[in-house]
């Protein structure tokens, strides 16, 4: 733990002492969710908004802690999948799921969580989450955002890779710079940036395992209709993500903001 020049606390998580195995990924995902929930102070009775639910792990872990959870998705396909998963886990009464975006949320919440809010829309995704938190968080409430940021303005290599990624993978563009994210929080009338947890080394190991698993399951991917060109493209994308994390072009962070 160190104190940054702007007064925020920075916690660095070092690289895993032993390389994880592919069988560890499920447990690792659950531990990652629990870390975010602990940082957000989610517990029994917490009014919790999960602004980006992924495939459901984070809202489910929050509900298992006794929180009153609301979450949303803009995809009808994902809405159906999430609803079925929550129901199968016996959590459909604890999790309110609706079709929409974070901006459609109302009421008052004690905690708000968002994982990779910029994955499809870049800085605009983070800005939406910050604005919703500024509007909905109760006094003393916490916003936790997890994502990949650039420690400074993206360099030429990062911009070039992002241009390739924008064409073939996602429309988000280069990773949001840390300074731009801080500026978004500063613009909020009620929010204050408290600090961040950096887990870049762990994220890089995860991507390495993704790449390894994808290579080993190449025949399975082909059987599902993903041709050799697509598989090479995805292998390159994963390699680029890992290289960016290991070279320090981007950092994997969990950001704590309070109202």
């Amino acid at each position: 733990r160190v104190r940054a020049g702007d007064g925020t606390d920075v916690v660095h998580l070092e690289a895993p002492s032993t390389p994880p195995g592919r069988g560890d990924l499920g447990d690792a995902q659950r531990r990652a969710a629990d870390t975010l929930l602990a940082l957000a102070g989610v517990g029994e009775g917490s009014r919790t908004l999960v602004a980006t639910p992924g495939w459901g792990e984070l809202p489910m872990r929050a509900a298992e802690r006794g929180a009153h959870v609301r979450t949303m998705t803009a995809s009808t396909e994902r809405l159906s999948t999430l609803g079925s998963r929550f129901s199968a886990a016996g959590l459909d009464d604890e999790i309110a799921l609706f079709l929409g975006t974070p901006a459609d949320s109302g009421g008052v919440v004690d905690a708000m969580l968002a994982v990779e809010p910029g994955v499809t829309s870049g800085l605009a995704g983070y800005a939406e989450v910050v604005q919703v938190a500024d509007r909905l968080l109760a006094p003393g409430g916490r916003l936790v955002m997890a994502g990949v940021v650039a420690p400074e303005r993206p360099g030429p290599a990062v911009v070039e890779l992002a241009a390739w990624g924008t064409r073939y993978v996602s429309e988000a563009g280069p990773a949001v710079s840390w300074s731009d994210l801080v500026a978004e929080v500063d613009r909020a009338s009620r929010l204050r940036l408290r600090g961040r947890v950096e887990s870049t080394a762990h994220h890089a190991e995860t991507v390495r395992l993704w790449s390894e698993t994808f290579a080993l399951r190449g025949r399975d991917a082909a059987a599902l209709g993903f041709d050799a060109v697509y598989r090479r493209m995805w292998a390159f994308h994963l390699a680029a993500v890992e290289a960016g994390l290991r070279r320090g072009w981007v950092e994997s962070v969990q950001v704590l903001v309070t109202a």
Side-chain angles (χ1 to χ4, degrees):
R1 180 188 295 268
V2 298
R3 179 61 60 90
D6 59 5
T8 60
D9 287 326
V10 181
V11 177
H12 294 269
L13 299 183
E14 300 298 333
S17 57
T18 57
R22 290 187 301 275
D24 296 339
L25 291 177
D27 288 339
Q29 183 184 31
R30 287 182 282 275
R31 287 196 298 272
D34 288 341
T35 299
L36 292 175
L37 294 169
L39 195 59
V42 174
E44 187 72 35
S46 297
R47 297 167 294 180
T48 303
L49 180 66
V50 181
T52 47
W55 291 106
E57 192 68 47
L58 191 56
M60 289 173 66
R61 299 296 280 186
E64 289 167 357
R65 285 175 170 237
H68 306 297
V69 184
R70 284 184 287 147
T71 191
M72 79 298 295
T73 176
S75 164
T76 54
E77 177 186 3
R78 187 167 295 206
L79 184 77
S80 176
T81 301
L82 288 171
S84 297
R85 188 176 184 194
F86 297 157
S87 180
L91 295 171
D92 44 353
D93 289 336
E94 286 76 18
I95 304 174
L97 173 66
F98 65 91
L99 185 67
T101 67
D104 298 321
S105 304
V108 178
V109 297
D110 304 304
M112 181 172 171
L113 300 102
V115 177
E116 294 284 6
V119 71
T120 58
S121 54
L123 184 60
Y126 283 96
E128 180 183 18
V129 166
V130 169
Q131 290 163 13
V132 172
D134 195 30
R135 176 167 54 88
L136 300 186
L137 276 181
R142 296 185 177 192
L143 163 66
V144 173
M145 297 178 287
V148 173
V149 300
E152 54 191 23
R153 297 291 179 181
V158 177
V159 172
E160 185 175 349
L161 279 173
W164 177 87
T166 298
R167 180 174 182 128
Y168 296 107
V169 181
S170 166
E171 298 179 356
V176 171
S177 73
W178 175 250
S179 59
D180 284 343
L181 180 54
V182 171
E184 283 298 329
V185 176
D186 287 343
R187 275 192 282 271
S189 60
R190 303 174 51 244
L191 303 182
R192 179 180 176 186
L193 177 65
R194 294 294 183 177
R196 66 186 186 271
V197 176
E198 296 181 359
S199 54
T200 305
H202 285 265
H203 197 152
E205 277 295 292
T206 299
V207 178
R208 181 186 67 80
L209 287 170
W210 288 346
S211 298
E212 184 181 289
T213 302
F214 189 70
L216 290 172
R217 301 292 294 275
R219 288 187 177 182
D220 294 337
L224 291 172
F226 299 105
D227 63 16
V229 173
Y230 178 88
R231 299 198 303 274
R232 285 197 301 271
M233 181 197 76
W234 199 249
F236 177 78
H237 170 62
L238 290 173
V241 171
E242 183 182 356
L245 291 163
R246 296 198 185 279
R247 291 295 301 271
W249 294 341
V250 292
E251 297 172 339
S252 184
V253 299
Q254 300 161 0
V255 185
L256 174 61
V257 177
T258 59

